[in-house]
Amino acid sequence: TRSFEAFLEIYAVYERKILEHFPDCQILIENRSGTKHPEPFMVSDADSILRLGLSLEARSLRLGIALDIAQMFTREFGSKQLVGSDGVELIRRLIPIRDRIHSLHLWGRGKGGGAHSGNLDGLFDPNTDAKQACLGVLQEMFAGGRPRYLVLEVNNKTGELSDILDDLFL
């Protein structure tokens, strides 16, 4: 059986050894979902991301989380469903571990749910204010001046990168 505790026992040894040689190294783990993998991912939905963050705090490990919002939404709602106001609450549940989230991974969906092939409009229900509300919670979560990494993953064939950046700066 896989568990956070078993993973963190093994990881703690790895982190200690890496930091001996590279004391400024930052190591992150990203949530993931998908159907093409034979086993379910240990860190995929909001509950497992929260559980990992709380476990990291309890153990005083330096491991950070790379939060992939679109993957979390895919795990919770599927790749074809547009996210409504329920996405806001998913993000809000992660606020207690905001200091463990060192990176935000964003990408959009194209028509039919295609990953990395669209802007953020492809994730959110256009009949709601879910996109702005989710971005507002992310802004609240990451307020406070602590630097974080932003990883944008897009095909950028039609300006998706610019669109996502524009959404972030509104």
Side-chain angles (χ1 to χ4, degrees):
T1 51
R2 299 179 320 167
S3 71
F4 285 127
E5 297 310 313
F7 167 73
L8 293 176
E9 290 274 326
I10 295 166
Y11 172 77
V13 174
Y14 172 78
E15 182 177 276
R16 189 171 52 253
K17 292 290 187 185
I18 289 295
L19 294 177
E20 282 175 14
H21 298 285
F22 306 100
D24 296 328
C25 178
Q26 291 188 15
I27 305 169
L28 306 179
I29 187 170
E30 183 173 286
N31 58 294
R32 174 81 163 90
S33 68
T35 57
K36 296 179 181 172
H37 195 272
E39 299 273 332
F41 291 96
M42 192 167 54
V43 182
S44 60
D45 60 4
D47 289 337
S48 60
I49 297 166
L50 178 62
R51 205 166 51 243
L52 175 62
L54 295 173
S55 294
L56 291 170
E57 282 296 318
R59 289 178 170 261
S60 300
L61 293 168
R62 284 190 20 196
L63 180 64
I65 296 171
L67 178 61
D68 188 325
I69 293 290
Q71 286 282 337
M72 182 178 73
F73 287 159
T74 296
R75 174 64 174 89
E76 297 284 349
F77 308 118
S79 63
K80 307 285 188 229
Q81 181 177 332
L82 296 174
V83 177
S85 59
D86 42 1
V88 174
E89 287 310 309
L90 283 180
I91 298 170
R92 194 172 299 286
R93 286 183 11 215
L94 301 178
I95 288 176
I97 61 165
R98 74 173 99 205
D99 290 338
R100 284 296 170 169
I101 300 172
H102 297 183
S103 173
L104 179 63
H105 185 172
L106 280 177
W107 47 272
R109 288 189 198 139
K111 292 183 171 133
H116 313 132
S117 62
N119 59 28
L120 297 181
D121 293 337
L123 287 174
F124 297 100
D125 184 342
N127 300 316
T128 68
D129 69 343
K131 179 173 80 169
Q132 290 305 356
C134 286
L135 292 175
V137 174
L138 286 172
Q139 183 179 33
E140 174 189 336
M141 181 188 299
F142 297 142
R146 179 181 183 180
R148 290 184 170 82
Y149 296 97
L150 176 62
V151 179
L152 300 177
E153 187 175 5
V154 294
N155 292 335
N156 203 27
K157 293 180 182 167
T158 57
E160 294 96 352
L161 180 65
S162 296
D163 291 347
I164 291 172
L165 288 172
D166 288 346
D167 282 338
L168 292 175
F169 289 113
L170 291 179

